[in-house]
């Protein structure tokens, strides 16, 4: 008997999904960390606001709740995903055209905020639908390894991509023509958006007949998500992770380029080294999760990132190299946290409620993650306003944020160990 997962359509879909994730990853690099910080600083935004904007992705997660409604009305999954993904990427393209607009800083700031918010809304409105659709062509027993290989390909190509683009931006800045660098980035995003579009076209469509009988009732959705204790527990663990990371990471882009005086090129070299190490860890991480559990893989990833946050707490202009250790640890942790945070839902929620559960989980995480970025902004502004002192102790605001994130992750690790790893796992 021929395994359906070995069919031509399934193989093509898995390959196309890997390509789509790679191109999407490249675009995400341009709207995060040093690239985004350089753009927003050029427009005239203050550090605390840059950190908040960098964390808007968490607020957009709230709109995943709408995917519950969309999922029940979709006839062609491919068509809907392509439309929203394309809108998202075009809005990211718009970001790097803002410096050329003949408006005041206030107006440009408003356009930035609206572009980022609506881009992420478009992206995450269909994120769980895209994941379930494309990942559905992967054999269940191989999801951990497939996720790892998918990530490895993104990282291998991403290393070359970040190193070369970082060098190009540094060259433009050295010539006093940073806006030329923004033009380069905007064109790159446009080309990558086209590649992303083609990749989605190559994934086998999922067409469904819409009837009243296959629409889950609201009470059944609630019963199998918020009424499912195991699901509530994994949501709590993932919420703690989002609070810890968005409290801190959105403010590290300016920390690297201002307080630590690192160039965009230097930041990308550090990221390259970190991604090389992450690359070597990805497949073992995937196999580890397949062998033990997604929860165990998640716990291991969180232990690693907790140490990373501790490095931030000790990073100063004199110990600037600690940021290298943090970057390595953070990226290595992503080899486990990214794939397991998505796959762990399969372990505790019935497949027919996967999209609903993912949307609810990410929405809650998004709200609280964004709230954490607001708190982080207040803490950072307060410390900077007091001459980089906290209770009379000379310290950068990012150090304090890193210390708080470290404590939160310790709580998260203990919760996974004593609660989630004891739960019964579903195989589906």
């Amino acid at each position: 008997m021929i395994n359906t997962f070995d069919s031509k359509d399934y193989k093509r879909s898995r390959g196309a999904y890997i390509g789509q994730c790679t191109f999407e990853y490249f675009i995400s690099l341009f709207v995060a960390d040093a690239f985004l910080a350089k753009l927003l600083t050029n427009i005239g935004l203050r550090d605390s606001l840059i950190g908040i904007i960098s964390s808007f992705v968490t607020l957009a997660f709230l709109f995943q709740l709408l995917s519950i409604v969309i999922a029940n009305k979709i006839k062609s999954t491919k068509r809907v995903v392509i439309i929203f993904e394309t809108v998202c990427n075009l809005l990211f393209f718009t970001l790097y055209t803002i410096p050329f607009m003949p408006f005041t800083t206030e107006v440009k700031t408003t356009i930035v905020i609206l572009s980022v918010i609506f881009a992420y809304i478009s992206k995450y409105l269909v994120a769980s639908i895209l994941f379930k659709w494309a990942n559905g062509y992967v054999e269940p027993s191989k999801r951990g390894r497939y996720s790892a290989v998918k990530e490895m390909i993104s990282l291998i190509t991403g290393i070359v991509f970040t190193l070369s683009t970082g060098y190009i931006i540094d060259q433009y800045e050295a010539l006093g023509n940073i806006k030329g660098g923004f033009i380069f980035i905007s064109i790159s995003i446009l080309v990558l958006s086209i590649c992303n579009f083609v990749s989605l076209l190559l994934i086998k469509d999922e067409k469904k007949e819409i009837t009243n009988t296959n629409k889950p009732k609201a009470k059944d959705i609630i019963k199998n998500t918020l009424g499912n204790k195991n699901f509530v527990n994994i949501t709590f663990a993932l919420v703690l992770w989002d609070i810890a990371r968005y409290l801190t990471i959105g403010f590290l882009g300016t920390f690297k380029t201002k307080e630590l005086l690192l160039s965009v090129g230097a930041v990308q070299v550090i990221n390259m080294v970190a991604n090389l190490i992450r690359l070597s860890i990805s497949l073992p991480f995937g196999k580890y999760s397949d062998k033990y559990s997604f929860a165990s893989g998640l716990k291991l990833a969180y232990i690693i990132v907790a140490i990373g946050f501790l490095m931030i707490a000790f990073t100063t202009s004199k110990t600037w190299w600690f940021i290298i250790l943090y970057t390595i640890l953070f990226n290595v942790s992503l080899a486990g946290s990214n794939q397991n945070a998505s796959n762990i839902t399969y372990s505790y929620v019935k497949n027919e409620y996967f999209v609903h559960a993912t949307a609810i989980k990410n929405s809650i995480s998004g709200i609280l993650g964004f709230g954490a970025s607001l708190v982080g902004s207040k803490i950072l502004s307060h410390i900077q306003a007091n001459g980089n002192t906290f209770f009379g102790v000379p310290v950068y605001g990012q150090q304090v944020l890193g210390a708080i994130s470290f404590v939160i992750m310790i709580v998260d690790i203990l919760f996974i160990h004593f609660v989630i790893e004891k739960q019964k796992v579903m195989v589906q």
Side-chain angles (χ1 to χ4, degrees), residues 71-85:
N72 294 332
K73 297 181 181 297
I74 290 177
K75 290 184 178 180
S76 172
T77 303
K78 177 187 288 189
R79 184 186 304 117
V80 172
V81 170
I82 286 177
I83 290 173
F84 284 98
E85 277 277 317

Side-chain angles (χ1 to χ4, degrees), residues 164-179:
S164 58
T165 52
Y167 174 78
I168 291 171
I169 299 304
D170 279 348
Q171 291 303 303
Y172 274 111
E173 190 168 23
L175 295 171
N177 184 25
I178 188 62
K179 288 188 176 180

